[in-house]
Amino acid sequence: MKRQLLEPTLAEIERQSLTRRRITIDGFVERGNRLVTAVDGRTLVDFSSNDYLGLAHHPAIAAAMSACALRFGAGSAASHLITGHGIEHEALEEELAAFTGRERALLFSTGYMANLGVIGALADRGEWVLEDRLNHASLIDGALLSGARLKRYRHADPDDADRMLEESTNEAAVVATDGVFSMDGDIAPLSRLAKAAAIHRAWLVVDDAHGLGVLGKNGRGSTEELSADEVPVLVGTLGKAFGSFGAFVAGSRELIELLIQRARPYIYTTALPQPVAAATRKALEIAQREAWRRERVLALTERFRQAARSEGLPVLESSTPIQPLVLGSSAGALGAQKELLQAGFRVVAIRAPTVPRGGERLRITLSAAHTEEQVDTLVETLAEITERYRTTLS
Ligand SMILES: *Cc1c(COP(=O)(O)O)cnc(C)c1O
């Protein structure tokens, strides 16, 4: 960008109602619950975080983090392959492998980096990477950065993926999909994708950032019913349901060894601080022990859906705690966000390019830390304001 274009560019973003703004949280109003926040002296109930199990503010997890920090310090001081790798990382990797039923797991600093790392390591220049159109930006960026040829199939359409695999005549290296789509909340057609990938001997990468800890009988996510053979590459994030920070890839011994050798976002970055790993270990233990957390968030999700449906709200079809309410324009979504703020709710407008134009929405997320009353009041408020901000498609 030419320097003289900086200001006009920002003005144009503003004109299109696309400016992204941060709201600074002053603190938490209820102990042990990060969803009731103080902003400019006002209390807001957060319905847009990814703290599905209500663990982000859990005292035992914070205690595990502080105890580890006092022992090992705040920083890891080097990358994993130099001197940054410690016993908390090692223990967490073993626990994540056991939790996901895989031979090995490898920690990454963020999910964004895990996806860049995995796709970069598995896809060679010129090979095809097939991705769902609505995949998370990090999976898309991973393919772009790898130099492979990115092909996007229709959303949640395994037949379209299969057709592209046929066309690729064995140049397809990777099929990658979100397990639960981050802005839509629907679940990918995983067993059909697994079959198509297996027939064409491509890797299936499932990024289950929003499914792990929440879905499945044991909280093992959207792939719980599938084998390690069907989903050879499983990516999970630790900053969402587990309320901590970081990410991991789980798979075979050889896959993990390849990532250690080849994944640049693993090799060339400072290791996740050990206190973060210690916090995640505690979170993983609590999430597994306290099944009521995922039962509760799913029950609240169902409560929200029933109430929203009886109010005639335009929520998308989703059985996960991600409940999008499509309003159809940036200005509409921002207007609704502002009114909800005045009513005491933090619900974030999602605009292009995060979602396609015309799909601008409020992304409402439920958490085990919400109360029934908060959910009911939210739906009542939405029922009052939605019509005014909705672009009616004619
Ligand atoms: C949040 C998210 C990521 C990125 O994870 P971070 O740890 O926040 O970098 C990757 N994939 C999906 C589907 C996500 O929703």
Side-chain angles (χ1 to χ4, degrees):
M1 181 188 295
K2 294 221 170 64
R3 280 182 73 171
Q4 67 268 30
L5 289 182
L6 177 59
E7 284 177 30
T9 301
L10 288 171
E12 179 56 21
I13 292 172
E14 180 70 37
R15 197 190 60 74
Q16 295 186 29
S17 300
L18 290 177
T19 304
R20 298 164 187 258
R21 291 198 169 81
R22 304 170 306 175
I23 283 194
T24 306
I25 293 169
D26 307 328
F28 301 107
V29 177
E30 287 176 15
R31 238 183 108 73
N33 183 354
R34 78 161 301 291
L35 299 177
V36 185
T37 60
V39 174
D40 291 337
R42 297 227 322 270
T43 298
L44 295 180
V45 182
D46 183 347
F47 272 101
S48 278
S49 92
N50 302 309
D51 185 17
Y52 303 120
L53 301 180
L55 292 177
H57 207 155
H58 195 293
I61 297 172
M65 189 181 224
S66 348
C68 180
L70 291 174
R71 189 161 167 225
F72 290 126
S76 48
S79 68
H80 284 281
L81 297 182
I82 306 297
T83 62
H85 192 68
I87 53 172
E88 293 292 333
H89 300 124
E90 198 60 29
L92 176 57
E93 287 180 346
E94 277 170 25
E95 288 157 10
L96 287 168
F99 175 65
T100 55
R102 300 306 200 267
E103 285 177 4
R104 252 187 109 176
L106 185 70
L107 283 174
F108 280 76
S109 293
T110 69
Y112 192 100
M113 293 166 75
N115 283 333
L116 295 191
V118 162
I119 297 189
L122 295 179
D124 289 327
R125 202 162 284 281
E127 287 181 330
W128 288 25
V129 175
L130 270 54
E131 299 209 16
D132 189 292
R133 271 191 193 288
L134 296 191
N135 271 358
H136 190 264
S138 54
L139 284 170
I140 304 287
D141 293 356
L144 294 175
L145 192 65
S146 73
R149 289 172 64 191
L150 171 63
K151 304 270 178 184
R152 299 171 83 171
Y153 57 86
R154 281 196 299 270
H155 175 54
D157 185 344
D159 293 328
D160 200 32
D162 199 48
R163 185 185 57 74
M164 285 184 182
L165 282 164
E166 287 289 337
E167 223 176 274
S168 76
T169 59
N170 290 332
E171 283 167 301
V174 176
V175 177
T177 183
D178 285 18
V180 174
F181 289 90
S182 55
M183 296 299 134
D184 288 59
D186 57 332
I187 301 169
L190 293 168
S191 67
R192 297 270 321 273
L193 287 171
K195 278 202 189 77
I199 289 171
H200 293 90
R201 282 182 257 170
W203 294 97
L204 178 63
V205 176
V206 177
D207 171 359
D208 207 19
H210 299 277
L212 276 173
V214 177
L215 302 181
K217 223 168 55 225
N218 302 296
R220 295 192 173 141
S222 64
T223 68
E224 183 165 314
E225 304 286 316
L226 297 172
S227 69
D229 242 14
E230 290 172 293
V231 183
V233 189
L234 177 63
V235 179
T237 62
L238 303 167
K240 289 167 182 162
F242 297 111
S244 168
F245 185 81
F248 69 93
V249 179
S252 71
R253 236 174 271 294
E254 294 77 12
L255 172 78
I256 299 307
E257 196 52 38
L258 179 84
L259 293 177
I260 294 173
Q261 309 310 320
R262 290 240 311 229
R264 294 166 65 89
Y266 181 77
I267 300 168
Y268 297 107
T269 201
T270 299
L272 192 78
Q274 289 215 78
V276 177
T280 309
R281 291 183 67 198
K282 181 54 81 177
L284 188 62
E285 178 200 315
I286 294 172
Q288 288 180 267
R289 194 177 58 225
E290 299 184 357
W292 65 264
R293 290 180 181 273
R294 55 178 188 274
E295 286 156 16
R296 179 165 170 80
V297 67
L298 292 174
L300 287 173
T301 298
E302 195 40 44
R303 185 185 184 94
F304 173 86
R305 285 195 66 73
Q306 280 186 10
R309 231 181 273 135
S310 71
E311 294 287 355
L313 293 173
V315 281
L316 294 183
E317 205 47 57
S318 155
S319 56
T320 68
I322 300 170
Q323 293 291 320
L325 194 112
V326 175
L327 294 174
S329 76
S330 292
L334 281 184
Q337 169 181 302
K338 199 166 163 204
E339 271 211 44
L340 284 162
L341 209 62
Q342 275 148 14
F345 295 109
R346 177 87 176 115
V347 178
V348 176
I350 307 288
R351 294 163 285 167
T354 308
V355 293
R357 277 175 200 279
E360 290 84 359
R361 67 197 60 187
L362 298 173
R363 177 179 178 273
I364 295 156
T365 51
L366 285 299
S367 166
H370 286 130
T371 64
E372 279 80 1
E373 194 195 346
Q374 287 167 340
V375 172
D376 296 348
T377 317
L378 173 69
V379 176
E380 282 163 30
T381 313
L382 289 169
E384 280 163 29
I385 69 163
T386 297
E387 269 319 301
R388 263 181 290 136
Y389 294 102
R390 192 175 170 194
T391 306
T392 34
L393 307 165
S394 47

